[in-house]
Amino acid sequence: MVYLGLDIGDKRIGISVSTSGIFASGVETYYRTSLKNDCQHILELVKKYNVDIIVAGLPKHLNGDNHQQAEKNEVLCSALREQGCKIDYFDERLTSAAAEKAMLEADLSRKKRKENIDKLAAVIILQDYLDTKGGGFKL
């Protein structure tokens, strides 16, 4: 199985992939332009990597309630579903905070952190999903 991980935001989408079903790796941070273009870009990646399942981060508040961003994300996910994509949601609470912490520990500049936070959050979402499904690699 091949998985594509998405950390969907209003301005950017962090994208990761797992071709092994074991390890997730970052692909890119995509800067959103329009629903049509965003969908087309993701569909190109689905085709390029021969993706079976898209794992989209599901924004939730710490108390477990869906965040308002979840509804916005559903618009893109619904458009992708209409194109035949299978979407699995995965709780993305604290992934951006974990990504920021990892980049701070790596001593990346503020500019590098901003450029990479969404991509790294997508990696964390997808890796956590794989680990939960039993396919990921745990130390």
Side-chain angles (χ1 to χ4, degrees):
M1 295 283 275
V2 178
Y3 302 89
L4 192 72
L6 302 178
D7 177 42
I8 305 167
D10 288 332
K11 296 179 182 180
R12 297 178 303 275
I13 301 172
I15 303 172
S16 62
V17 70
S18 174
T19 56
S20 66
I22 299 171
F23 296 109
S25 60
V27 173
E28 67 181 356
T29 297
Y30 169 77
Y31 288 83
R32 300 188 75 172
T33 57
S34 69
L35 178 61
K36 181 181 176 182
N37 290 342
D38 300 347
C39 191
Q40 182 179 7
H41 183 76
I42 293 167
L43 290 171
E44 288 170 4
L45 293 173
V46 166
K47 185 177 179 180
K48 175 181 178 179
Y49 291 105
N50 199 24
V51 171
D52 297 297
I53 298 173
I54 295 174
V55 178
L58 180 62
K60 292 182 173 255
H61 292 287
L62 291 177
N63 68 4
D65 293 342
N66 281 354
H67 188 279
Q68 66 185 21
Q69 185 67 36
E71 283 184 37
K72 294 178 184 180
N73 292 3
E74 178 54 30
V75 173
L76 176 61
C77 291
S78 180
L80 291 168
R81 257 191 240 95
E82 288 175 9
Q83 297 298 315
C85 295
K86 181 177 181 200
I87 309 283
D88 272 358
Y89 289 104
F90 193 77
D91 186 349
E92 69 171 37
R93 277 180 283 189
L94 303 178
T95 55
S96 291
E100 180 75 20
K101 182 179 180 199
M103 289 188 295
L104 282 169
E105 289 174 359
D107 201 27
L108 292 179
S109 69
R110 182 177 310 227
K111 181 181 177 189
K112 287 283 188 193
R113 290 194 311 266
K114 184 176 180 181
E115 291 171 0
N116 291 291
I117 191 164
D118 300 297
K119 178 172 57 173
L120 185 53
V123 169
I124 293 169
I125 290 166
L126 184 52
Q127 189 64 57
D128 287 351
Y129 174 88
L130 295 171
D131 292 347
T132 301
K133 296 293 182 190
F137 181 77
K138 295 182 181 179
L139 292 175

